[in-house]
Amino acid sequence: RGQFVSVVLPNGHVLIAGGYSSFSGTVLDTAELYDPASGTFTPTGSMTTPRMESAGVLLQNGQVLICGGYDASYNAQSSAELYDPSTGTFTSTGSMTVAREDHTATLLPSGNVLVVGGHAGAYDAVTPLASAELYDPQLGTFSSVGSMATARLQPVAALLGNGQVLGAGGADASLNTLASAELFDPASNSFSVTGSITVPRVYTTATLLSTLQVLVPGGQSSSEVNFGSALST
């Protein structure tokens, strides 16, 4: 499978869910668990709907939220679901306010999940999103929250030590890579522009280090898979 979700569970196993079986092929609803102790994969329950390029995050209650992504017809979807490791099953939860894929999902200290950016619409219609929303696990609902200064698909996000969320990079509607970055403040539910990354990039990661700095390595210089250059910076 490609473009799937992987989330480390509280017991150390890794949930791997969705994705596609071949490019422009079948979108998957299947899921499996990786056990690092035995080095083996085993099937677990299937998702309620096929999805690829979705976002997944471990909640404070030990369940996993998986939201959005392309459906079997390669249209962005707003649906979301929860995986319960104790039963190995997926169940539907509230839908996002906007259908999106290639977005980020970040667990906040409050236990809510911040969902940011991504791409709306069909696979071949590029519509980057600036909108953001919050998922409340207690209510099982999503609600709109402030928008980013820049619409971006395939961004990266990292929770900072002060509880704010850094969002950076990605691509615009013309598939130009972005260097800009911004901060989400959960105290005010608002975004503010911050310093830019040195090189515009997509298909990268953002990792909070023990120094409280965020590492954004590698990636690609273009959102077009066949035309961008891989980055070593």
Side-chain angles (χ1 to χ4, degrees), residues 38 90 105 159 176:
S38 62
F90 291 85
L159 178 67
N176 297 312

Side-chain angles (χ1 to χ4, degrees), residues 9-225:
L9 303 177
N11 64 0
H13 291 183
V14 181
L15 172 68
I16 298 169
Y20 64 89
S21 60
S22 61
F23 191 71
S24 298
T26 303
V27 181
L28 302 170
D29 63 359
T30 58
E32 49 196 293
L33 295 172
Y34 174 71
D35 182 349
S38 62
T40 57
F41 294 84
T42 56
T44 187
S46 294
M47 294 190 292
T48 62
T49 183
R51 59 182 82 230
M52 60 175 275
E53 296 184 9
S54 56
V57 64
L58 180 68
L59 303 178
Q60 290 180 347
N61 63 7
Q63 295 185 331
V64 176
L65 172 70
I66 299 179
C67 57
Y70 284 127
D71 61 19
S73 300
Y74 282 76
N75 293 309
Q77 58 184 310
S78 61
S79 67
E81 51 194 290
L82 296 169
Y83 176 75
D84 186 342
S86 66
T87 61
T89 58
F90 291 85
T91 56
S92 297
T93 187
S95 292
M96 295 186 292
T97 63
V98 176
R100 65 180 82 219
E101 62 84 31
D102 263 341
H103 49 292
T104 65
T106 306
L107 180 67
L108 302 177
S110 65
N112 291 345
V113 176
L114 175 68
V115 178
V116 171
H119 162 54
Y123 184 81
D124 56 355
V126 179
T127 311
L129 297 168
S131 63
E133 46 195 296
L134 289 174
Y135 176 73
D136 185 336
Q138 300 297 319
L139 300 177
T141 57
F142 290 85
S143 58
S144 297
V145 72
S147 292
M148 294 185 291
T150 302
R152 58 186 83 224
L153 61 90
Q154 300 162 341
V156 292
L159 178 67
L160 305 180
N162 61 5
Q164 295 185 340
V165 177
L166 172 70
D172 62 17
S174 299
L175 296 180
N176 297 312
T177 49
L178 301 169
S180 62
E182 38 199 302
L183 295 170
F184 174 77
D185 185 350
S188 60
N189 283 343
S190 62
F191 290 86
S192 60
V193 175
T194 188
S196 297
I197 53 180
T198 58
V199 178
R201 65 186 77 216
V202 292
Y203 300 121
T204 182
T205 58
T207 305
L208 181 66
L209 306 177
S210 59
T211 60
L212 300 184
Q213 295 175 302
V214 176
L215 175 66
V216 182
Q220 192 167 286
S221 62
S222 170
S223 186
E224 288 284 6
V225 174

